[in-house]
Amino acid sequence: MLLLTRTASPQFTQPITVRVIRELTDRHTYQGWVWITAYQLDAAHQAVRRRELYVRRDGLHWLPAPTPPAPRPRTSGTPPIRRTNQRAPAPRRGRLPGNQLTPPTGAPI
């Protein structure tokens, strides 16, 4: 995460916080300047806008990464329900290859 102020570029009259996605190295710039792609963050560090920014490398202020919130303690003794996006396989309908019916259990084949 970066704090961008007027030291990074005159366009930042109001400081903003961004999360850098990548540096755009294929663009020609002046010595000491770079193009970056970043997400502008709000006060809760949530991305609100994707931006391409032209900034001075010397003017970038790196911020420590925010610590994730602590997990909430479980209040009951039952395990949580785990949901998956996978469907269970469909049950077989009693047919064998070649459309033959399944023989009853114990019957000769």
Side-chain angles (χ1 to χ4, degrees):
M1 288 193 332
L2 292 172
L3 176 64
L4 300 178
T5 62
R6 289 186 68 84
T7 59
S9 176
Q11 65 184 315
F12 301 115
T13 56
Q14 297 293 321
I16 66 169
T17 304
V18 297
R19 183 174 58 232
V20 177
I21 300 170
R22 68 178 163 267
E23 180 180 343
L24 303 172
T25 57
D26 59 336
R27 296 188 182 179
H28 299 285
T29 64
Y30 291 106
Q31 176 99 17
W33 290 77
V34 294
W35 278 97
I36 60 172
T37 302
Y39 288 112
Q40 184 174 343
L41 306 177
D42 63 7
H45 300 291
Q46 298 297 312
V48 292
R49 189 171 162 202
R50 184 176 173 147
R51 299 182 65 173
E52 288 186 359
L53 303 166
Y54 188 57
V55 293
R56 283 186 39 216
R57 190 180 297 273
D58 292 342
L60 303 178
H61 300 284
W62 290 95
L63 299 174
T67 56
R72 296 184 349 194
R74 289 183 32 199
T75 56
S76 67
T78 59
I81 298 173
R82 297 189 188 266
R83 299 180 190 263
T84 63
N85 292 336
Q86 298 177 353
R87 291 185 173 187
R92 295 192 75 170
R93 297 277 182 189
R95 295 197 178 252
L96 294 175
N99 293 330
Q100 299 172 1
L101 294 177
T102 305
T105 309
I109 299 180

